[in-house]
Amino acid sequence: MTRREKVLTYLEKYALRMDQGATTSEISEAIGILRPNVSKVLNQLVREGRVKKTDGRPVHYFVNHSARKDEMKMQQKPNIGFAGYARIRDSSSKEEDAANKHEVDVFKNMIGSRDSLRNQVEQAKAALLYPPHGLNTLIIGPTGSGKTYFAHKMYHFALERKIISKKGFTTFNCADYAHNPQLLMSHLFGYVKGAFTGANADKDGLIQEADGGMLFLDEVHRLPPEGQEMIFYFMDHGTYSRLGETAKAHHADVRLVYATTEDPKSSLLQTFVRRIPIIIQLPDFYQRNAREKLQLLEQLLTLEANRIHKNIRLGEDVVQALLGSVTYGNIGQLKSNIQLVCAQGFLNSMHNKNEITLLFSQLPPNIKDGLSNLASDRRELGNLSRLLEATMVIKPDAQRGTPDIDSYELPYNLYEIIGDKAALLKEDGLDQAAINHFIMTDINLHLKSFYRQGKLEKTIDGLSEIVDQEIIDLTKQMQRLLQERENYPVRDHFIYAMSLHISSFIKRIQSGKPLRNISADLISMVHDYPVELKIAERVKELIRDHYRFPIPESEVYYMAILLVSLKSEPKTGKVGIVVAAHGDSTASSMVHVVSQLLSVDNIAAYDMPLEMSPKIALAGIAAQVKKIDQGNGVLLLVDMGSLSTFSNKLIEKTHIHVKTIDMVTTAMVLEAARKTALIDSDLETVYRELREFDGYSRTIEKVQQKKKDVQKRSDQRAKAIIAICSTGEGTAKRIKDLLDKILVDHLIDDITVITVSLVTMNEQIVKIQQDYQIVAATGVVKPQVAVPFVSLEDLLQGGGERFVSLIEEIDNHAVYEAETFEHSELLTKEMSQNYLGRYFTFINPGKIVNILWGYCDFIQQRSQSKLSNAFKISLIMHMAGSLERYLTRSEMRVDEQRLSRIRMEKLYPIVKQANEILHETLNINLSDAEVFYIVELLNTEKEKSDTQNN
């Protein structure tokens, strides 16, 4: 009997004896299910109308015997109370209501069914109604676009039209077990006794469970090829075999609906795709028209109004900010943002029994930014403005109170949590400001943890394959106790890191292995962290009380070290890049080229007109640094002058780690973007490697030497992956076995997996690097090594594919370094000509490139200095700008004092002589101000070259 059935049975049999129903705690104790799980089931039943609850505290639940079918509830007309709704609602709905009065159509009230989703709805109906057994359907759409919601609508339509005979919408997410194809297929098809280790009895799969109904397979692209083959055999014949059987002896009549976020042509077998005649593409949120966006907003706000039993009042600016805040997650993101601002509004309006007000000034910064995002699209903003009134009021609507099933529906009533906590904090004497701050922090954690819940549950499912479930349960109990009683900040990955550590320790005790000794260095290090040492003592007591045997003192120190490592925050994103250069569009041009070539999202430009003061430039660059920072620092690439001294000032102004490199070129920006996108590197690593970057235009000798170095290093050092574990023993071997299997599955036989203890991690890595080339890392913490890192939780939930792809990218990178630009000198003029044609208007690239190349050669010869090809391209681009400024009479200006100084420079007469080439060939005389900047450019290059040589 399922949890849901147990709860309903209890309420039907026993709660009838109670006048006021039963509380969550009473049900939990009676049926032996944890209170949070009972609460989740009860809230789901309330949403479906199967169960009612009282309004007081504590909340009592009882069966709603007069409830109608959920499907009929979904058809009742809403009574939405906000200004301007009459213009949002389709004007044709009244006529359609009359025409369809006697025919139930669950798609009718779905937002967009008569507009952006009209074709998709017709496809879905055709697929379901097609004789004799309908057509298989694949729903494609980005994350949060409503694929599960749409599939659920298809199920209700099929049920109402009696196309399927069995109630029950069976769902399965193929990503849950993508790392274990056998387990995945056993869930789908079932298995016979003895099919694999642990198969102690025959078991039916989900296909048999869905017989007569509908089976929805989400993230179907994670289904392995053999699973796709078994599914399309079932689609063809209606028969299948369970794992461990040879004959296709089982029959089932199932309507199959699939969903994916990927392109089916590249992510699924074509033999599989050919058997799915109906492919339904759901639109992004931004593809919806203004009317539909407002209807979606209104519907989601109505759900929140029903939960809090109050009106929700919001202004036009809040509506626009919410709609503009949807940047990546579509309707799902809109829903989570609405839940957050409504929770904040509820907290701020608890004194008002009838209404909560959402004010723009109280919105979180990321949602406030939605207003400026929307303002950048004037057409969309105009369309919305025509539909909006100055104020919107959303009223509770019982007929619209049952939310459709989707992946973004909270399993609890957030407002009950807020009310209860606010009352407790008030009793403790906290003022309203402190209460608001405390609870809003908690709300953010609630919502973020919920939207990560799917990922966490998948991780724990994977963890249970290498750690006993008893240990996982004990670790969860520890997590709760440390958070609630010790007020210790425990993050999600505490569960798997501590579970692995405890598992290793228990295995060592059970096998009779000797206990580990504690070094004096370890003791000294741990005593620097008294809080973690105290918490480790508490953990020791919990383990001792659970297993009833003494825990040695050495384990306390090892657990303290683990807690210290878990406490450090991981870096949150890529290294950001800001390109800042003098000129009206110099920086923007370079960033534009790189963005087109690499499609990166971690780069920004700042153009600095020559007359701009350094103070203004500093403020502008600081704003770009803040904008582009993802938590891993920012690399500032500048051309020359005072910009190269901005690092410390920017750190002081923004509190973001910034490193600066001068003499920026397009090639350098390209390399910086490539490095930050290719490898999960830290700022220091990228900075160090770019300092040594001398452009792509290398001599043949350098390239050949590079190839020899790469080949030599490859021959001398074998490749290795390091797995960071708490001890390097016990469970570490099982993780090594998992990695070995991933490598074997991908036909990789030249990489060794080496386990490393967290305690002596840095020392071990140094030793390993003497004999091995470390190409990747995984484990409970990220080591300070510039290689791809996949966390243990990602690995356990199917991150093996990503791990392998990262390793392959590193291999490709080595070849790229050695061979890609082997003949680039031959292409340098052509590259320059392409750039000139792309970025300049008044010059002829074909004619000018040879002249400017000769200009560079003249300066190189007279100054007796070697100009790299990368610098030649930069100088040519600068000279082209000088020529255009001359032609458009907008030449640069420099004060006389600076001109006097530059006339004393050694390079000044050489540049003046080189300019005669331009006079003779183009009849152009550049001013001394232009000469000033050419000399400055050459001096900066010379200083850089001297620094590298020294």
Side-chain angles (χ1 to χ4, degrees):
M1 186 180 290
T2 65
R3 265 191 232 150
R4 178 190 176 93
E5 290 169 344
K6 287 180 180 179
V7 171
L8 274 174
T9 300
Y10 177 81
L11 286 174
E12 288 170 352
K13 288 184 178 179
Y14 303 106
L16 287 174
R17 303 172 189 169
M18 307 175 194
D19 295 336
Q20 296 181 330
T23 65
T24 306
S25 298
E26 289 169 349
I27 299 171
S28 172
E29 292 174 9
I31 63 177
I33 296 177
L34 292 175
R35 190 182 185 282
N37 293 333
V38 173
S39 179
K40 182 176 180 179
V41 171
L42 286 169
N43 278 294
Q44 183 66 38
L45 291 169
V46 169
R47 287 196 295 271
E48 294 174 4
R50 299 287 301 278
V51 168
K52 285 187 174 183
K53 63 179 182 177
T54 61
D55 292 331
R57 297 269 195 275
V59 178
H60 288 76
Y61 298 86
F62 54 91
V63 175
N64 181 12
H65 294 288
S66 62
R68 298 180 181 179
K69 290 184 177 179
D70 294 344
E71 299 80 12
M72 294 301 292
K73 280 191 167 188
M74 296 168 65
Q75 310 315 311
Q76 296 174 7
K77 303 310 291 179
N79 175 27
I80 308 303
F82 66 89
Y85 176 71
R87 287 189 284 170
I88 298 175
R89 191 171 182 268
D90 291 341
S91 59
S92 61
S93 61
K94 290 184 179 179
E95 289 80 358
E96 292 195 19
D97 289 346
N100 298 328
K101 186 175 181 181
H102 302 293
E103 182 179 291
V104 174
D105 182 354
V106 298
F107 287 108
K108 183 178 61 177
N109 288 330
M110 186 171 70
I111 294 169
S113 61
R114 291 179 287 274
D115 202 334
S116 66
L117 294 178
R118 180 189 291 271
N119 291 336
Q120 289 86 337
V121 168
E122 293 306 315
Q123 282 181 289
K125 290 179 180 179
L128 292 168
L129 294 169
Y130 193 86
H133 302 296
L135 300 172
N136 300 311
T137 306
L138 174 64
I139 304 172
I140 303 174
T143 301
S145 58
K147 296 183 293 295
T148 303
Y149 168 78
F150 194 90
H152 202 255
K153 286 288 188 183
M154 291 180 66
Y155 159 73
H156 279 292
F157 181 85
L159 201 62
E160 289 294 342
R161 297 300 178 90
K162 298 186 173 16
I163 297 168
I164 58 177
S165 58
K166 180 180 179 179
K167 277 191 176 185
F169 182 59
T170 307
T171 65
F172 181 72
N173 192 314
C174 300
D176 289 353
Y177 303 98
H179 63 287
N180 191 331
Q182 185 185 57
L183 190 60
L184 188 154
M185 290 191 291
S186 72
H187 275 278
L188 277 177
F189 297 99
Y191 52 83
V192 296
K193 182 178 179 180
F196 51 84
T197 303
N200 300 320
D202 293 355
K203 189 179 188 305
D204 287 333
L206 291 175
I207 286 181
Q208 193 61 48
E209 180 183 316
D211 186 21
M214 183 177 288
L215 174 60
F216 175 58
L217 297 181
D218 199 4
E219 297 194 64
V220 69
H221 59 277
R222 303 298 298 274
L223 198 63
E226 58 267 37
Q228 294 180 43
E229 290 171 356
M230 293 175 73
I231 286 285
F232 73 62
Y233 183 92
F234 174 69
M235 287 191 281
D236 286 348
H237 304 283
T239 59
Y240 67 96
S241 60
R242 295 182 292 187
L243 262 65
E245 291 179 334
T246 54
K248 310 286 185 183
H250 304 277
H251 178 274
D253 178 16
V254 180
R255 296 298 178 105
L256 291 168
V257 178
Y258 312 95
T260 181
T261 55
E262 307 298 316
D263 179 0
K265 292 181 181 178
S266 58
S267 60
L268 294 168
L269 296 176
Q270 290 310 296
T271 48
F272 182 76
V273 176
R274 283 198 297 269
R275 289 166 168 82
I276 306 175
I278 301 292
I279 296 181
I280 298 174
Q281 175 74 57
L282 296 185
D284 290 322
F285 183 76
Y286 73 85
Q287 293 174 313
R288 302 275 198 141
N289 61 42
R291 186 185 302 277
E292 289 182 13
K293 289 177 181 176
L294 282 172
Q295 288 176 325
L296 288 165
L297 179 85
E298 163 268 315
Q299 185 181 66
L300 295 173
L301 283 168
T302 302
L303 293 179
E304 302 309 309
N306 287 342
R307 289 191 175 104
I308 58 181
H309 307 295
K310 293 182 182 181
N311 292 348
I312 299 176
R313 180 180 294 273
L314 60 162
E316 185 178 4
D317 52 354
V318 176
V319 172
Q320 292 171 345
L322 282 167
L323 293 175
S325 69
V326 181
T327 55
Y328 59 87
N330 295 288
I331 301 169
Q333 185 188 4
L334 177 63
K335 186 168 188 174
S336 65
N337 286 350
I338 285 173
Q339 288 167 342
L340 178 60
V341 300
C342 285
Q344 190 170 32
F346 176 78
L347 183 60
N348 293 330
S349 306
M350 290 187 69
H351 60 281
N352 190 328
K353 295 182 179 180
N354 302 316
E355 185 174 273
I356 73 168
T357 303
L358 307 182
L359 300 175
F360 183 81
S361 60
Q362 296 174 344
L363 296 181
N366 62 309
I367 297 179
K368 279 184 180 177
D369 290 344
L371 192 58
S372 56
N373 295 340
L374 190 61
S376 64
D377 188 346
R378 293 184 179 180
R379 183 177 177 182
E380 182 68 7
L381 182 60
N383 291 337
L384 284 169
S385 298
R386 283 191 289 273
L387 294 168
L388 281 172
E389 299 287 348
T391 301
M392 176 186 288
V393 180
I394 304 291
K395 297 180 180 178
D397 178 7
Q399 293 179 326
R400 221 178 196 195
T402 305
D404 294 285
I405 288 177
D406 65 26
S407 303
Y408 298 88
E409 185 59 33
L410 292 173
Y412 47 77
N413 190 320
L414 187 62
Y415 305 102
E416 290 182 2
I417 293 174
I418 296 172
D420 291 343
K421 290 197 174 182
L424 288 172
L425 293 172
K426 196 167 185 178
E427 288 176 7
D428 289 341
L430 272 70
D431 61 27
Q432 194 59 44
I435 292 172
N436 288 7
H437 176 75
F438 182 90
I439 293 182
M440 279 315 300
T441 303
D442 205 33
I443 289 169
N444 275 288
L445 291 173
H446 267 291
L447 292 175
K448 288 177 181 178
S449 66
F450 170 69
Y451 292 117
R452 289 196 305 262
Q453 187 177 18
K455 176 180 177 180
L456 181 60
E457 287 177 350
K458 294 172 202 172
T459 301
I460 293 172
D461 283 339
L463 180 63
S464 63
E465 295 178 24
I466 58 175
V467 176
D468 292 341
Q469 187 62 45
E470 181 184 7
I471 293 174
I472 296 173
D473 293 339
L474 174 62
T475 309
K476 288 180 180 178
Q477 180 188 351
M478 287 180 189
Q479 185 184 41
R480 288 193 299 272
L481 289 172
L482 294 180
Q483 287 173 327
E484 295 169 6
R485 295 186 186 177
E486 306 292 339
N487 197 26
Y488 185 76
V490 180
R491 299 205 308 275
D492 286 339
H493 62 317
F494 172 88
I495 292 176
Y496 49 83
M498 186 58 75
S499 293
L500 291 169
H501 181 90
I502 295 173
S503 176
S504 172
F505 168 69
I506 297 298
K507 294 286 192 303
R508 195 181 313 113
I509 293 294
Q510 292 175 341
S511 62
K513 290 183 179 179
L515 299 176
R516 292 174 292 189
N517 296 321
I518 320 174
S519 67
D521 290 339
L522 177 62
I523 294 173
S524 174
M525 181 173 68
V526 169
H527 280 290
D528 290 336
Y529 299 94
V531 174
E532 280 66 35
L533 186 58
K534 176 187 173 186
I535 296 299
E537 287 282 0
R538 185 75 182 98
V539 170
K540 167 193 167 184
E541 293 170 7
L542 292 169
I543 299 173
R544 181 195 62 202
D545 294 345
H546 182 84
Y547 285 101
R548 307 289 183 186
F549 56 66
I551 308 297
E553 195 64 24
S554 61
E555 279 308 307
V556 176
Y557 287 92
Y558 281 106
M559 282 188 284
I561 289 293
L562 179 61
L563 289 167
V564 170
S565 67
L566 293 177
K567 194 176 180 181
S568 60
E569 286 289 339
K571 290 167 184 171
T572 55
K574 301 175 186 174
V575 173
I577 304 169
V578 173
V579 182
H582 293 85
D584 292 336
S585 61
T586 308
S588 297
S589 298
M590 287 189 279
V591 168
H592 179 72
V593 171
V594 172
S595 297
Q596 282 194 325
L597 290 173
L598 296 182
S599 299
V600 289
D601 61 355
N602 62 324
I603 186 168
Y606 186 77
D607 296 307
M608 183 178 170
L610 294 168
E611 62 273 12
M612 180 181 287
S613 71
K615 185 176 180 181
I616 296 175
L618 176 63
I621 294 172
Q624 291 294 74
V625 167
K626 289 179 181 178
K627 176 182 175 183
I628 210 66
D629 177 52
Q630 298 181 12
N632 208 359
V634 173
L635 184 70
L636 177 62
L637 304 177
V638 303
D639 55 351
M640 58 185 178
S642 59
L643 294 177
S644 60
T645 66
F646 276 6
S647 282
N648 292 335
K649 296 176 184 176
L650 287 168
I651 293 171
E652 183 180 337
K653 196 176 184 69
T654 64
H655 305 291
I656 295 169
H657 193 195
V658 178
K659 301 290 284 187
T660 303
I661 298 178
D662 61 2
M663 287 304 297
V664 62
T665 63
T666 303
M668 180 184 287
V669 179
L670 185 66
E671 181 70 359
R674 190 178 66 79
K675 284 184 180 298
T676 56
L678 178 68
I679 302 176
D680 182 20
S681 297
D682 58 89
L683 177 60
E684 292 293 338
T685 301
V686 176
Y687 172 76
R688 185 175 63 253
E689 293 178 356
L690 280 177
R691 291 284 296 175
E692 300 170 359
F693 178 68
D694 57 359
Y696 294 127
S697 305
R698 305 176 186 178
T699 62
I700 298 298
E701 291 79 8
K702 280 186 179 180
V703 172
Q704 288 176 343
Q705 183 60 43
K706 178 75 172 180
K707 290 175 72 175
K708 288 179 182 177
D709 291 343
V710 170
Q711 184 65 40
K712 182 179 179 182
R713 184 169 68 247
S714 176
D715 290 342
Q716 288 182 342
R717 295 193 300 169
K719 296 177 183 177
I721 295 172
I722 56 173
I724 314 297
C725 306
S726 55
T727 63
E729 305 174 21
T731 306
K733 182 179 182 306
R734 304 173 87 172
I735 299 174
K736 179 181 184 303
D737 293 342
L738 174 63
L739 286 169
D740 284 336
K741 184 179 185 303
I742 290 172
L743 295 174
V744 169
D745 289 345
H746 289 83
L747 305 179
I748 298 175
D749 58 2
D750 61 341
I751 296 179
T752 303
V753 179
I754 302 174
T755 56
V756 174
S757 168
L758 179 65
V759 178
T760 56
M761 175 177 68
N762 294 330
E763 295 85 348
Q764 288 184 70
I765 288 175
V766 170
K767 291 181 181 178
I768 291 169
Q769 286 178 317
Q770 293 175 2
D771 301 315
Y772 291 92
Q773 177 190 358
I774 298 175
V775 296
T778 185
V780 294
V781 295
K782 180 183 176 184
Q784 293 299 311
V785 184
V787 297
F789 175 77
V790 174
S791 63
L792 187 56
E793 65 268 35
D794 286 341
L795 187 69
L796 293 174
Q797 64 161 330
E801 294 289 341
R802 176 170 172 265
F803 208 24
V804 170
S805 66
L806 286 171
I807 294 168
E808 290 172 346
E809 283 178 357
I810 293 297
D811 289 340
N812 293 338
H813 172 54
V815 176
Y816 178 80
E817 284 283 336
E819 298 177 354
T820 300
F821 295 97
E822 185 167 333
H823 304 291
S824 59
E825 285 192 18
L826 306 175
L827 302 175
T828 307
K829 283 187 182 180
E830 182 181 345
M831 187 185 301
S832 302
Q833 185 172 332
N834 289 337
Y835 286 160
L836 292 172
R838 183 176 297 175
Y839 298 110
F840 296 96
T841 306
F842 299 102
I843 58 176
N844 183 333
K847 180 180 179 181
I848 207 77
V849 69
N850 288 321
I851 296 172
L852 295 180
W853 195 264
Y855 184 97
C856 295
D857 287 341
F858 178 89
I859 290 178
Q860 180 175 258
Q861 182 182 356
R862 292 301 177 92
S863 65
Q864 297 181 344
S865 58
K866 174 68 176 175
L867 302 183
S868 69
N869 285 335
F871 178 74
K872 283 183 180 180
I873 293 175
S874 297
L875 184 55
I876 286 171
M877 297 293 282
H878 179 88
M879 293 304 301
S882 300
L883 298 178
E884 280 217 343
R885 287 190 291 274
Y886 175 87
L887 295 172
T888 57
R889 299 181 181 179
S890 58
E891 288 186 282
M892 295 180 179
R893 289 188 291 274
V894 180
D895 63 72
E896 189 59 36
Q897 184 180 353
R898 298 168 79 189
L899 285 176
S900 299
R901 179 178 59 80
I902 207 71
R903 290 183 183 122
M904 306 299 294
E905 292 279 349
K906 178 181 177 182
L907 284 169
Y908 177 78
I910 296 173
V911 173
K912 291 289 285 186
Q913 291 171 21
N915 285 355
E916 290 298 317
I917 298 173
L918 304 180
H919 177 68
E920 293 170 5
T921 55
L922 302 173
N923 195 27
I924 288 177
N925 289 308
L926 294 181
S927 67
D928 268 9
E930 293 287 357
V931 173
F932 171 85
Y933 284 104
I934 296 170
V935 173
E936 283 285 276
L937 197 62
L938 291 165
N939 279 335
T940 307
E941 172 66 10
K942 185 176 184 304
E943 289 173 9
K944 175 186 172 185
S945 177
D946 292 344
T947 301
Q948 289 178 341
N949 292 335
N950 292 334

